[in-house]
């Protein structure tokens, strides 16, 4: 595959995009898991599906939009969904978790409508649902790079604040941190990462890349910093092994990446059990 990467632009796009996503998705995933917001990634991925399906339908119906990259409307839909989730969480103060199924249902509903209205883009939609090595364009790559810069800047500027909010939100609010705005920015950045990841991992599987490496890291890490580092390492391993497997076996990369992540998680669980038995034996 290494020789092919130098020969074919689409493989370069897929591999570089995958490496970047393998870093930024688990990085945000650590904060998502710690804050018990794992299902938000699923909700936003379904909203992104509605945006993608809507864009594909519009490109069929309106000739002027035929060349529009569906990723753009997917990003708009994902960010809009994240803002609505925040609004609903404040509206239902005592039942904040209701916001997630409401937005997820809306995403599925609009997605189903656009898919039923349009005809003839089943292959395009399949690549968005489960990822595709050959479908990542150079334009998609630049979008992923741009979003990764936004993620790095956000984490660099607000890392301490996110850390405090993740472990003690009440203290963060009492100490004067603008918790509302930081959380809203976090949701928007999460939406951007989900939209950027769908070309490689697929809309229906992107949440797995944000949670499975983190779940594996949390089994064997001894600190938050260690969990961050291990999450990125496991995410990169899953992406590299998954992309190589998808290339040689002609499979959807989303599936191979997720299955690899599950194997890594199982190995981490096994390593933890073996470590405990070894500690008891000594």
């Amino acid at each position: 595959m290494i020789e092919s990467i130098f020969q074919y632009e689409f493989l370069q796009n897929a591999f570089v995009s995958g490496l970047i996503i393998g870093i930024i998705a688990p990085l945000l995933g650590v904060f998502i898991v710690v804050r018990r917001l794992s299902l938000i990634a699923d909700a936003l991925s379904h909203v992104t599906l509605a945006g993608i399906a809507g864009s594909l339908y519009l490109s069929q119906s309106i000739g002027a939009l035929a060349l529009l990259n569906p990723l753009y409307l997917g990003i708009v839909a994902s960010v809009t969904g994240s803002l609505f989730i925040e609004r609903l969480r404040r509206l239902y103060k005592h039942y904040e978790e209701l916001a997630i199924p409401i937005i997820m249902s809306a995403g599925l509903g609009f997605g189903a409508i656009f898919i039923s209205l349009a005809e003839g883009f089943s292959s395009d939609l399949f690549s968005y649902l489960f990822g595709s090595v050959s479908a990542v364009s150079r334009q998609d790559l630049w979008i992923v790079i741009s979003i990764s810069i936004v993620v790095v800047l956000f984490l660099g500027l607000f890392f301490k604040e996110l850390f405090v909010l993740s472990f003690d939100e009440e203290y963060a609010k009492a100490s004067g941190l603008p918790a509302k705005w930081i959380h809203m920015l976090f949701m928007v950045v999460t939406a951007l990462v989900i939209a950027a990841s769908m070309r490689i991992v697929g809309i229906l599987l992107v949440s797995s890349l944000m949670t499975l490496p983190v779940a594996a890291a949390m089994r064997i890490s001894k600190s938050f910093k260690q969990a961050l580092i291990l999450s990125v390492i496991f995410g990169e391993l899953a992406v590299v092994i998954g992309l190589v497997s998808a290339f040689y076996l002609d499979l959807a990369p989303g599936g191979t990446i997720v299955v690899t992540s599950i194997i890594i998680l199982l190995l981490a669980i096994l390593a933890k059990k073996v470590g405990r038995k070894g500690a008891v034996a000594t």
Side-chain angles (χ1 to χ4, degrees):
M1 182 180 180
I2 295 177
E3 294 179 359
S4 300
I5 289 175
F6 290 106
Q7 293 177 1
Y8 302 106
E9 182 179 292
F10 74 90
L11 283 178
Q12 297 169 12
N13 299 336
F15 203 75
V16 175
S17 297
L19 290 176
I20 294 172
I21 291 165
I23 295 173
I24 60 177
L27 270 180
L28 283 181
V30 173
F31 292 100
I32 289 174
V33 171
V34 170
R35 301 186 70 178
R36 294 175 175 83
L37 298 174
S38 301
L39 289 177
I40 282 180
D42 278 316
L44 292 179
S45 66
H46 286 79
V47 174
T48 306
L49 170 62
I52 293 295
S55 181
L56 292 172
Y57 170 66
L58 290 175
S59 66
Q60 278 190 347
S61 305
I62 305 174
L65 298 178
L67 297 178
L68 178 67
N69 191 334
L71 193 57
Y72 292 131
L73 194 53
I75 290 173
V76 171
S78 186
V79 171
T80 302
S82 69
L83 296 176
F84 271 111
I85 286 177
E86 275 305 288
R87 177 59 182 167
L88 288 170
R89 277 165 57 88
R90 292 198 298 272
L91 188 64
Y92 294 97
K93 291 182 180 180
H94 301 292
Y95 306 96
E96 292 183 354
E97 68 278 2
L98 271 176
I100 296 174
I102 290 172
I103 296 301
M104 183 183 292
S105 300
L108 283 172
F110 282 109
I113 289 173
F114 287 125
I115 291 171
S116 62
L117 285 174
E119 297 177 358
F121 62 74
S122 58
S123 60
D124 292 332
L125 189 61
F126 184 86
S127 68
Y128 282 105
L129 289 175
F130 303 106
S132 173
V133 173
S134 61
V136 184
S137 66
R138 188 52 59 101
Q139 188 180 34
D140 294 334
L141 173 59
W142 283 115
I143 291 173
V144 170
I145 292 173
S146 301
I147 290 175
S148 69
I149 293 172
V150 173
V151 172
V152 171
L153 287 174
F154 174 72
L155 291 177
L157 290 172
F158 297 103
F159 184 85
K160 292 182 180 179
E161 289 82 354
L162 283 172
F163 180 83
V164 176
L165 280 170
S166 298
F167 288 97
D168 196 340
E169 188 169 350
E170 294 302 320
Y171 171 77
K173 291 178 179 178
S175 61
L177 284 179
K180 172 184 172 182
W181 293 106
I182 292 174
H183 187 65
M184 184 174 292
L185 287 173
F186 176 76
M187 291 293 295
V188 170
V189 171
T190 301
L192 290 175
V193 171
I194 289 171
S197 304
M198 60 190 174
R199 267 306 205 184
I200 293 293
V201 190
I203 296 169
L204 299 182
L205 302 173
V206 64
S207 62
S208 302
L209 189 58
M210 302 186 80
T211 54
L212 290 177
V214 179
M218 292 179 72
R219 291 302 304 164
I220 57 179
S221 61
K222 297 180 180 179
S223 66
F224 185 77
K225 182 179 179 180
Q226 200 174 77
L228 276 175
I229 295 171
L230 288 175
S231 295
V232 171
I233 292 173
F234 292 155
E236 288 288 76
L237 279 174
V239 167
V240 172
I241 296 173
L243 285 177
V244 172
S245 302
F247 176 76
Y248 283 112
L249 301 175
D250 193 24
L251 298 172
T256 55
I257 290 172
V258 170
V259 169
T260 304
S261 297
I262 292 173
I263 293 172
I264 292 173
L265 173 59
L266 293 175
L267 290 174
I269 294 172
L270 182 62
K272 184 70 173 181
K273 288 185 177 180
V274 171
R276 284 180 178 175
K277 289 181 179 179
V280 171
T282 55

